[in-house]
Amino acid sequence: MTGLRIHREEEAGRITLRLEGTLDGRTAQELSSSLQALAQSEVVLDFAHLREFKDSAVGILTHGLKDSAVQLRGLATHHERMFRYFGVLSAPTTHRAYYTPEDVLPA
């Protein structure tokens, strides 16, 4: 059975929607409708637990995300790049690379 499950968590005025399952064109439209209802809230979309993420969903989601303050988290590099092509940036990464060239190469 395919489908999308959305786990909603509220903490300190921020709503986090953790997505599980399959995000495709149909489920992206449903998610987009849900996000419109939360337009006045600070929302974080967490994609980390998706089993399948169809590229077609990115195009559908970006229509509502471009002008909103929704933060994206847990995206694979491919989907992060696709959102960026549509003008939607994911949240900045807070982790540092294991090492940087400056750490290895002497100045």
Side-chain angles (χ1 to χ4, degrees):
M1 178 176 165
T2 63
L4 179 67
R5 287 173 302 288
I6 302 172
H7 302 280
R8 179 181 170 146
E9 298 174 8
E10 292 186 47
E11 185 177 319
R14 175 186 290 174
I15 298 171
T16 299
L17 301 177
R18 297 190 194 286
L19 309 176
E20 287 185 12
T22 300
L23 186 60
D24 56 14
R26 181 185 55 80
T27 55
Q29 288 176 336
E30 293 170 4
L31 177 59
S32 186
S33 296
S34 297
L35 289 172
Q36 288 175 356
L38 297 172
Q40 303 303 317
S41 304
E42 183 180 347
V43 178
V44 176
L45 278 180
D46 187 355
F47 297 89
H49 300 286
L50 284 176
R51 183 179 58 243
E52 191 173 3
F53 189 169
K54 302 280 186 178
D55 291 348
S56 60
V58 174
I60 293 167
L61 286 175
T62 55
H63 290 295
L65 293 180
K66 241 179 155 179
D67 300 322
S68 71
V70 173
Q71 294 178 6
L72 309 179
R73 186 170 55 196
L75 288 169
T77 304
H78 169 73
H79 289 105
E80 185 175 336
R81 187 178 309 121
M82 288 191 66
F83 274 107
R84 196 170 45 239
Y85 293 155
F86 281 96
V88 177
L89 302 175
S90 64
T93 57
T94 56
H95 67 279
R96 187 169 179 254
Y98 180 69
Y99 68 88
T100 62
E102 294 80 16
D103 294 336
V104 176
L105 301 172

